[in-house]
Amino acid sequence: MNSIALDIQNVIKIYNNGFKALDNVSFQVFKGEFFGLSGPNGAGKTTLISSIASLSNPTSGSIHVLGYDTQKDSNHSKMNLGVVPQELVFDPFFTVKEVLSYQSGYYGIKNNDQWIEEILEQLGLLSKINDNTRSLSGGMKRRLMVAQALVHKPPVIILDEPTAGVDVELRQSLWVFIKKLNQQGHTIILTTHYLEEAEQLCDRIAFMKKGQLIALDETEKLLAVDEQIHVSFTCHENISPLIAHFNYQHEKNKWSFELNNYAQVEHLLHIINTNQVTISNLGIMEKDLEQVFLSLIQ
Ligand code: ADP
């Protein structure tokens, strides 16, 4: 059985003004994966998601959602896909239930009340089912966007910065729900600026920059690549002869080291101690995804 949920091959997107927003992007997301897509603003993430959602066509290349071509067979690819977009857009005259019923109708699904109520329950919105969307708070509107993307029980779910501007509590409850969907077999693709979130949730993470895919690996491996320990301190003496065998940089009185393990940290501090060198502002920091990301985008 084919295990690929999303297949992106050589996708190029050149906007009408000649700007190349996607520059030969290729990668695959496996069924059941929790996949992260990250990168700085302007990297091309939204452009890529629009192409996956058949909202805009790539200039060249192909995208398949569960085997369905997003350009040639967009009806099928859309049926298999639920996208939670960044911006909040609702018709202010409809109730929560109406929004979700109309959305179901759009996918040709009738009598969807049971599922609609279940999603609203899971998202803590059931008590608002008959409320007008304009009366909802920002966080509730965000949850309704998630509900809207799920009315047709799509096997592949894309969340575009779903927790941007959302309070911590909602973020947590949203993740409990999304994780549950993932455990039930849904493939989740998440774009996020919160790398801590990506680190905790995603099996693999892709980084984009200037329209290109610059890294893609298992989250653990991405973190392991830069498993260095960063040590820095201030020292007014010239300690270069003492530390020649370490990987270090120094500028004025600030010395910084990239060490591979804590034995090296100990060794360094031992040298400092035994030579009675005076240091201050000692900082020891392990790399996290944020730093991997920063070193990638630099
Ligand atoms: P991201 O979501 O990673 O922030 P986007 O996909 O929104 O990146 O944008 C990628 C690049 O494409 C940006 O430089 C943006 O200005 C440009 N871009 C986006 N939409 C258009 C458009 N309709 N016409 C021209 N350029 C665009």
Side-chain angles (χ1 to χ4, degrees):
M1 213 175 75
N2 192 339
S3 64
I4 295 163
L6 176 65
D7 189 11
I8 297 173
Q9 292 297 334
N10 307 106
V11 169
I12 293 175
K13 173 71 185 182
I14 302 171
Y15 280 113
N16 288 339
N17 63 359
F19 183 79
K20 197 189 259 186
L22 295 175
D23 187 3
N24 206 19
V25 175
S26 301
F27 64 90
Q28 295 175 322
V29 177
F30 303 114
K31 284 181 188 166
E33 226 182 341
F34 205 128
F35 188 90
L37 183 61
S38 205
N41 279 335
K45 304 180 297 291
T46 308
T47 303
L48 185 62
I49 289 171
S50 301
S51 304
I52 299 168
S54 309
L55 296 171
S56 93
N57 281 334
T59 309
S60 63
S62 69
I63 303 177
H64 289 82
V65 176
L66 289 173
Y68 298 108
D69 191 309
T70 55
Q71 296 177 80
K72 295 181 191 137
D73 200 356
S74 62
N75 282 349
H76 281 110
S77 70
K78 281 189 208 165
M79 279 303 283
N80 284 290
L81 187 69
V83 180
V84 183
Q86 270 181 38
E87 70 279 12
L88 303 166
V89 267
F90 297 109
D91 189 319
F93 300 106
F94 291 145
T95 65
V96 166
K97 181 159 182 187
E98 282 165 346
V99 166
L100 299 178
S101 299
Y102 293 142
Q103 184 76 9
S104 306
Y106 173 75
Y107 288 103
I109 306 165
K110 293 184 191 125
N111 308 324
N112 205 17
D113 287 4
Q114 200 181 335
W115 175 236
I116 287 175
E117 284 176 23
E118 196 179 321
I119 319 172
L120 290 177
E121 165 91 67
Q122 293 283 346
L123 288 165
L125 265 187
L126 193 53
S127 63
K128 305 285 174 191
I129 188 163
N130 293 313
D131 288 13
N132 207 290
T133 56
R134 65 172 175 266
S135 71
L136 301 180
S137 69
M140 287 173 188
K141 283 188 180 134
R142 173 96 27 219
R143 278 181 268 178
L144 182 54
M145 298 294 290
V146 176
Q148 206 176 9
L150 298 179
V151 287
H152 57 299
K153 297 191 185 171
V156 182
I157 302 165
I158 299 185
L159 300 129
D160 192 4
E161 295 277 349
T163 51
V166 160
D167 61 68
V168 178
E169 203 180 328
L170 171 57
R171 215 187 284 178
Q172 295 300 339
S173 63
L174 200 56
W175 290 131
V176 171
F177 182 52
I178 303 292
K179 269 200 251 182
K180 198 164 140 190
L181 288 170
N182 182 235
Q183 278 154 10
Q184 286 166 357
H186 293 264
T187 305
I188 312 284
I189 297 151
L190 162 76
T191 76
T192 182
H193 270 88
Y194 297 100
L195 288 172
E196 206 184 314
E197 215 162 67
E199 197 173 322
Q200 281 172 20
L201 295 163
C202 300
D203 304 317
R204 288 191 304 155
I205 301 176
F207 286 99
M208 287 180 68
K209 182 189 168 185
K210 292 186 182 162
Q212 294 181 333
L213 187 74
I214 54 166
L216 196 180
D217 214 330
E218 287 166 25
T219 310
E220 277 175 20
K221 285 196 188 144
L222 276 171
L223 290 169
V225 167
D226 268 301
E227 209 175 34
Q228 290 158 331
I229 304 161
H230 180 82
V231 177
S232 63
F233 53 72
T234 305
C235 173
H236 297 273
E237 299 167 45
N238 179 13
I239 52 169
S240 302
L242 297 175
I243 56 167
H245 58 294
F246 287 104
N247 175 17
Y248 76 96
Q249 287 182 319
H250 84 109
E251 200 176 324
K252 294 185 185 152
N253 301 323
K254 176 137 170 105
W255 303 75
S256 50
F257 300 78
E258 297 298 342
L259 305 178
N260 296 326
N261 49 51
Y262 276 98
Q264 284 195 351
V265 177
E266 253 182 76
H267 183 44
L268 171 66
L269 296 179
H270 180 73
I271 292 173
I272 299 291
N273 258 329
T274 49
N275 288 283
Q276 297 181 336
V277 176
T278 308
I279 63 167
S280 57
N281 300 325
L282 175 67
I284 300 176
M285 209 163 53
E286 274 185 72
K287 288 236 172 181
D288 61 9
L289 211 51
E290 193 91 39
Q291 284 153 309
V292 177
F293 175 73
L294 285 174
S295 55
L296 280 170
I297 63 171
Q298 262 157 23

